[in-house]
Structures are given as structure tokens and as C-alpha cells.
């Protein structure tokens, strides 16, 4: 059974006297453990699709089956309940709380969703995830003390804290340079491989889409092509081949007895 099955999804927005048709009969299956990259021009309906997939919004018509269950008619509360248990989100702008440590940002979703974990367990889980994304030494840093790539890694750790099956990422590398983008794609590829998470990632960059297992093109609210990636890019290998950043070089130790 596909993790996700979308059948003839339509979504229209009413803006004054005008109706905007953002999704116009979109159908798509997503298998468990796949890494699907959705590409398309601005305005093609990618974010609308993401909002429906993420149970943030409801389609105007059509069906959304999640693990075989038709969730397209679920009300707000049922959608929120399902979303908290099954879906994690990563956004272009990271959406972290300012003046709040990385650790607390990652713990935050555990305070909702009705799972009353004891504080020590919350900390441990958040710390473990931050370590998994390479930020074990930055637990107390606030977003403004972190680079964009580091903030996105905090956001990925936060998205995983409720152990979702599905990770949705809307232009997660949109604000990052190409080197940092490779690092983020490396983390996502690893999550799919090692944890069996299913990723649906939206991008308008075709080279980013080649890190996925499948590229789905959306145009005018419909799927216009859906193809397996032939020569899949390996982010870990690409990153290993990059020269180290000067910033990553450890500073020289201060000379002994140098203090005045
Ligand atoms: P993309 O993410 O591919 O750029 P969107 O899904 O954001 O596309 O938008 C698809 C279309 O729907 C656009 O024409 C956009 O203006 C319209 N749209 C999206 N969200 C809304 C909304 N909340 N209200 C009205 N129109 C919207
Ligand atoms: Mg968008």
C-alpha cells in the first residue's frame, strides 16, 4: 500500500470575486521510504500541494489517502491529531523561535501533541537529534548565533522529534548557498536510508531534485511528469570531495603563558 495516494485533488481559493484554481486534478502515489522531489515554476501549486499533504489545509475536492485512510474530509482537530503523530515539516525560512535555544526549539513539538514526556526524556531526545544532525556542540545557541545551514539542521531535528513517518520540506535549501544545500540534502538522504522516513521535498531547482529517488513535475496544479532519478546525486560523496571551509579549521591553540 502506498503511504500516500492523491486522487484528482482540486483546491480553489476565493479572492474577492475571483476563484484561483491552485490544484486542478492532481493525482500522485508516494511509496513508503521514497524521496520524492516536486519541481515546478512559481505559482504552479507546489505549496498548496504541501499544505494539503501536511494536513494544514483541506482539498476542495478529490481524495487524499494516508496509509489507506481517506483523510480528505477530516476536520481541523482530526487533521491536527494525525499531523502531530505522522508528519514533520521543514520550511525555507527555518521558522525557529528566536531567543530560544536550539535544544528548546527541538523540544517544542513534544509539548503539544499530547505526549507528556518527562523533562529529562524530552531533553535527551532533543539532544540526540541535534547530535544526529551534527549540532551536539550547539545545544544552547539561539538561532541568531547559528548560520543558515545550522538553523535548517535545527529545524530538521525539530521536525523529527515526534518520530514522523513523513517529512515534508518546502524549498528547504531556498535560502542556502550551494555548499550548505549539499549538507542539508546529505542529512535528508541519510534519514531516508537509515530511518526509513519518507520525504517529499519541494524545490524549483532541478539539480537539488536529483538527490531524490523520483522527480515529479507540477504545472498549473497538475502532475505533468513523474520519473525515477537516473543518475542520483550522492550528497555525502559530494560534500566529502569539497575543500574544507576556512571557518571549519580549528583555530591555533593560544601560546602557553601568553596571557598578560
Ligand atoms: P507555488 O508554491 O508552486 O509557487 P502556490 O501553491 O503557492 O504555488 O500557489 C498556486 C496558486 O494559488 C497561485 O496562483 C497562488 O497565487 C494561489 N494561492 C496560493 N495560496 C493562496 C491563498 N491562500 N489564497 C489565494 N490564492 C492562493
Ligand atoms: Mg511555494
Amino acid at each position: 500500500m502506498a503511504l500516500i495516494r492523491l486522487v484528482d485533488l482540486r483546491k480553489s481559493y476565493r479572492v474577492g470575486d475571483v476563484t484561483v484554481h491552485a490544484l486542478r486534478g492532481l493525482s500522485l502515489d508516494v511509496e513508503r521510504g521514497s524521496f520524492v522531489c516536486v519541481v515546478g515554476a512559481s505559482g504552479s501549486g507546489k505549496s498548496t500541494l504541501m499544505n494539503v499533504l501536511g494536513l494544514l489545509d483541506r482539498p476542495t475536492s478529490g481524495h487524499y489517502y494516508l496509509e489507506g485512510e481517506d483523510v480528505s474530509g477530516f476536520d481541523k482537530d482530526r487533521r491536527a491529531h494525525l499531523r502531530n503523530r505522522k508528519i514533520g515539516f521543514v520550511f525555507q525560512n527555518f521558522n525557529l523561535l528566536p531567543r530560544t535555544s536550539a535544544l528548546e526549539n527541538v523540544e517544542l513539538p513534544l509539548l503539544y501533541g499530547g505526549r507528556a514526556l518527562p523533562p529529562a526524556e524530552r531533553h535527551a531526545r532533543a539532544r540526540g537529534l541535534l547530535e544526529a544532525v551534527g549540532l551536539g556542540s550547539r545545544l544552547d545557541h539561539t538561532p541568531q548565533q547559528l548560520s543558515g545551514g545550522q538553523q535548517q539542521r535545527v529545524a530538521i531535528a525539530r521536525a523529527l522529534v515526534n518520530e514522523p513517518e513523513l517529512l515534508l520540506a518546502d524549498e528547504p535549501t531556498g535560502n542556502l548557498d550551494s555548499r550548505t544545500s549539499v549538507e542539508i540534502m546529505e542529512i535528508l538522504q541519510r534519514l531516508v536510508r537509515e530511518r526509513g522516513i519518507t520525504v517529499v521535498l519541494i524545490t524549483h531547482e532541478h539539480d537539488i531534485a536529483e538527490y531524490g529517488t523520483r522527480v515529479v513535475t507540477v504545472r498549473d496544479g497538475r502532475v505533468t511528469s513523474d520519473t525515477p532519478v537516473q543518475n542520483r546525486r550522492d550528497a555525502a560523496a559530494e560534500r566529502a570531495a569539497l575543500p574544507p571551509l576556512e571557518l571549519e579549521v580549528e583555530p591555533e591553540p593560544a601560546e602557553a603563558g601568553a596571557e598578560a
Side-chain angles (χ1 to χ4, degrees), residues 52-64:
V52 172
L53 280 177
L55 299 166
L56 294 166
D57 206 351
R58 218 160 36 178
T60 308
S61 69
H63 297 279
Y64 172 8

Side-chain angles (χ1 to χ4, degrees), residues 26-138:
L26 184 146
S27 298
L28 183 69
D29 281 10
V30 176
E31 298 301 326
R32 221 177 267 277
S34 58
F35 188 161
V36 176
C37 292
V38 178
V39 297
S42 176
S44 55
K46 303 185 299 296
S47 292
T48 302
L49 168 63
M50 201 60 120
N51 290 342
V52 172
L53 280 177
L55 299 166
L56 294 166
D57 206 351
R58 218 160 36 178
T60 308
S61 69
H63 297 279
Y64 172 8
Y65 300 94
L66 182 58
E67 296 185 304
E69 181 175 32
D70 191 350
V71 299
S72 32
F74 277 22
D75 65 18
K76 231 183 162 84
D77 288 347
R78 286 184 85 188
R79 277 187 279 131
H81 180 70
L82 205 54
R83 185 166 67 236
N84 287 334
R85 287 190 299 130
K86 294 195 186 288
I87 304 175
F89 293 90
V90 176
F91 302 95
Q92 179 170 357
N93 294 319
F94 324 133
N95 288 9
L96 300 176
L97 281 189
R99 295 181 297 281
T100 305
S101 71
L103 194 70
E104 289 169 310
N105 264 287
V106 175
E107 282 182 33
L108 208 63
L110 292 173
L111 301 175
Y112 305 105
R115 276 202 219 184
L117 283 184
E121 229 171 282
R122 278 206 313 268
H123 300 327
R125 196 190 284 199
R127 194 182 321 116
L129 285 166
L130 283 165
E131 282 163 2
V133 297
L135 290 177
S137 61
R138 301 281 196 283

